[in-house]
Amino acid sequence: DAKTTQPPSMDCAEGRAANLPCNHSTISGNEYVYWYRQIHSQGPQYIIHGLKNNETNEMASLIITEDRKSSTLILPHATLRDTAVYYCIVRVVGSSNTGKLIFGQGTTLQVKP
Amino acid sequence: EAGVAQSPRYKIIEKRQSVAFWCNPISGHATLYWYQQILGQGPKLLIQFQNNGVVDDSQLPKDRFSAERLKGVDSTLKIQPAKLEDSAVYLCASSLPRGLGGELFFGEGSRLTVL
């Protein structure tokens, strides 16, 4: 079972920042937070992942709370092409026991003009 | 860089018939996954290969589903006989070896409709 909770849907105005929340209150010390998104009729696409520090790449920023029980994915300037289902996943990462990527229901983000 | 290739993109069959899906992962990716995505749900892992060995097939309905990865490269997923509830998109993904915790790269999927 997925170990994260996300709102089923969100709207965002084009050009504005999209802030997608995720709760993972039972996260373990060796579990990372991953974000993927799935645009209609395509396979999921990796966005970003982190352990406890905030992370930023060319696609998004990931803010993880100090207690690691929740996180927020930030798309700084949402475009219509960012309309997709966003999945927050916790996953063990280790040299010998990297865990499965288990998807939940995700958040459907609708970016509106 | 070429992505994960899957075929066919679409397949319609009648229940009790058989079907096979093919996946060619990204070159050099030792780990290969098959996921099933039913409409409105997130993808569900069916089987994971490391090279040509099975790492996890706990969610694979083995009475009707089978998968193989000959020579540690291409993979096929077969369903025989198909049921109505097998209607779904079958996604193949690949990644570098599991220890690196790297991202999974997904193909566009094969959409199966069972009538």
Side-chain angles (χ1 to χ4, degrees):
Chain A
D1 292 336
K3 296 175 62 176
T4 63
T5 304
Q6 299 178 253
S9 63
M10 293 180 64
D11 289 343
C12 177
E14 188 178 19
R16 298 281 192 164
N19 297 285
L20 291 92
C22 179
N23 285 316
H24 31 80
S25 58
T26 61
I27 192 169
S28 302
N30 61 348
E31 287 183 311
Y32 284 66
V33 180
Y34 280 74
W35 284 84
Y36 278 73
R37 74 178 182 184
Q38 188 171 24
I39 295 169
H40 183 63
S41 296
Q42 296 183 21
Q45 175 192 24
Y46 167 83
I47 302 173
I48 199 167
H49 75 282
L51 182 62
K52 54 184 177 181
N53 297 321
N54 297 337
E55 302 287 344
T56 295
N57 63 20
E58 64 278 5
M59 289 182 69
S61 295
L62 173 61
I63 308 297
I64 303 174
T65 58
E66 192 169 341
D67 63 7
R68 302 212 319 125
K69 293 185 177 182
S70 65
S71 61
T72 301
L73 179 75
I74 301 173
L75 308 178
H77 305 286
T79 71
L80 298 179
R81 287 176 293 183
D82 292 322
T83 292
V85 179
Y86 287 77
Y87 297 99
C88 170
I89 303 163
V90 294
R91 181 192 191 200
V92 171
V93 176
S95 59
S96 61
N97 65 338
T98 294
K100 297 183 281 193
L101 210 63
I102 299 175
F103 290 82
Q105 297 286 86
T107 295
T108 298
L109 176 68
Q110 181 73 49
V111 180
K112 299 186 174 182
Chain B
E1 176 182 275
V4 175
Q6 291 189 244
S7 68
R9 285 297 313 275
Y10 305 93
K11 188 75 176 178
I12 301 174
I13 61 174
E14 295 190 349
K15 60 183 179 183
R16 291 188 289 273
Q17 288 187 323
S18 62
V19 63
F21 302 111
W22 172 84
C23 173
N24 180 237
I26 292 173
S27 178
H29 280 192
T31 310
L32 185 146
Y33 313 77
W34 283 102
Y35 281 81
Q36 178 194 57
Q37 186 171 26
I38 293 171
L39 185 65
Q41 299 181 16
K44 175 183 126 181
L45 180 66
L46 292 176
I47 188 167
Q48 177 182 340
F49 292 93
Q50 178 76 13
N51 297 308
N52 60 350
V54 175
V55 172
D56 186 340
D57 63 356
S58 57
Q59 297 294 305
L60 188 73
K62 299 180 186 64
D63 57 335
R64 298 183 299 106
F65 286 65
S66 65
E68 61 181 7
R69 190 181 184 198
L70 300 176
K71 301 181 181 178
V73 181
D74 293 6
S75 177
T76 56
L77 176 70
K78 296 179 181 177
I79 307 174
Q80 181 178 14
K83 292 186 175 182
L84 297 178
E85 58 261 37
D86 298 332
S87 293
V89 175
Y90 291 87
L91 294 159
C92 180
S94 69
S95 72
L96 290 169
R98 29 194 313 232
L100 300 179
E103 61 190 271
L104 273 64
F105 293 83
F106 284 83
E108 292 191 317
S110 295
R111 181 179 297 275
L112 173 66
T113 301
V114 182
L115 303 176

